[in-house]
Amino acid sequence: LAKTTQPISMDSYEGQEVNITCSHNNIATNDYITWYQQFPSQGPRFIIQGYKTKVTNEVASLFIPADRKSSTLSLPRVSLSDTAVYYCLVVFGSSASKIIFGSGTRLSIRP
Amino acid sequence: KAGVTQTPRYLIKTRGQQVTLSCSPISGHRSVSWYQQTPGQGLQFLFEYFSETQRNKGNFPGRFSGRQFSNSRSEMNVSTLELGDSALYLCASSLAGQSSGNTIYFGEGSWLTVV
């Protein structure tokens, strides 16, 4: 059964690096992992997407180990405005028959 | 470049009524998908349309339906509304569909309250 698992919540402080992990069993060779950020009353906003090893953009990095059973979203030097819920998304299978969102991680950043 | 646009943003309906929600995808995107978000169940996939054809469907009852027009705009309909249908309904679009590797972009959602 395809499933993604994330921690329910995390706390950190401004200026720190935050790492949020998503576990995804039964992931296939060609399945991508995507991370979204969601603020209250808004739709999820795309952060980063990856397939293997490491991907970096202007706001985050995504680390995917060789076994691909998990992935880690890394947010460098967080600020108060990074307080949000973060979701991982895995589309299991090329036919998109299994579109599974994680339950979300509520990240709280303190001054 | 305009993002995914959903209308209406907020609406209140009575049990037993039906509702239609509208979504305009990002220009050039041919895939539109719909999600339901509730505090208890999180984000759940409803269905996906590509070139006016439903390609994938989540585990929702037949009261939930949708369609896509030739200009890629999409509507979803919920008939015989129940209190449990109160949720944020999110529309997302992508270039070529929700197969792995295609980035999905979300709209701001339509808040439905059933009373």
Side-chain angles (χ1 to χ4, degrees):
Chain A
L1 180 66
K3 187 178 178 182
T4 58
T5 304
Q6 303 176 233
I8 294 174
S9 64
M10 295 180 68
D11 295 327
S12 189
Y13 293 90
E14 279 191 298
Q16 298 295 305
E17 178 185 76
V18 171
N19 296 311
I20 306 174
T21 298
C22 176
S23 299
H24 23 77
N25 63 345
N26 295 326
I27 190 170
T29 306
N30 297 324
D31 293 340
Y32 278 71
I33 301 107
T34 311
W35 283 84
Y36 292 87
Q37 176 193 56
Q38 188 176 29
F39 297 110
S41 301
Q42 295 185 22
R45 184 174 71 96
F46 172 82
I47 302 174
I48 197 167
Q49 183 179 62
Y51 163 62
K52 61 180 179 180
T53 61
K54 179 183 175 182
V55 179
T56 298
N57 62 21
E58 62 275 11
V59 298
S61 295
L62 177 59
F63 298 93
I64 305 169
D67 65 8
R68 304 184 74 244
K69 292 184 178 180
S70 66
S71 60
T72 299
L73 171 71
S74 181
L75 304 173
R77 298 179 299 283
V78 294
S79 64
L80 294 176
S81 63
D82 292 318
T83 295
V85 180
Y86 292 81
Y87 293 93
C88 65
L89 166 67
V90 179
V91 180
F92 290 87
S94 58
S95 64
S97 59
K98 288 287 185 184
I99 298 168
I100 307 295
F101 269 96
S103 53
T105 298
R106 186 173 299 277
L107 176 64
S108 298
I109 305 300
R110 303 175 182 178
Chain B
K1 190 172 181 180
V4 179
T5 305
Q6 292 188 244
T7 57
R9 280 283 280 146
Y10 304 93
L11 67 166
I12 301 174
K13 290 286 187 178
T14 304
R15 241 181 336 175
Q17 286 186 312
Q18 72 163 13
V19 66
T20 299
L21 308 177
S22 180
C23 173
S24 293
I26 293 172
S27 178
H29 285 193
R30 297 170 63 190
S31 167
V32 173
S33 52
W34 290 88
Y35 293 80
Q36 182 195 64
Q37 186 174 28
T38 61
Q41 299 297 320
L43 277 155
Q44 296 186 91
F45 170 69
L46 279 157
F47 30 66
E48 180 206 3
Y49 286 87
F50 183 83
S51 294
E52 303 179 65
T53 301
Q54 187 180 89
R55 291 212 304 195
N56 289 294
K57 191 175 189 302
N59 296 321
F60 278 81
R63 299 186 296 108
F64 293 81
S65 63
R67 59 177 175 169
Q68 187 180 30
F69 303 96
S70 58
N71 60 359
S72 294
R73 193 177 66 84
S74 176
E75 290 180 347
M76 71 161 282
N77 184 78
V78 187
S79 62
T80 319
L81 284 166
E82 301 176 359
L83 296 178
D85 296 332
S86 295
L88 175 65
Y89 289 89
L90 291 160
C91 171
S93 77
S94 65
L95 271 172
Q98 298 211 227
S99 57
S100 206
N102 288 298
T103 303
I104 304 165
Y105 297 93
F106 286 86
E108 294 301 321
S110 293
W111 282 97
L112 170 65
T113 301
V114 182
V115 297

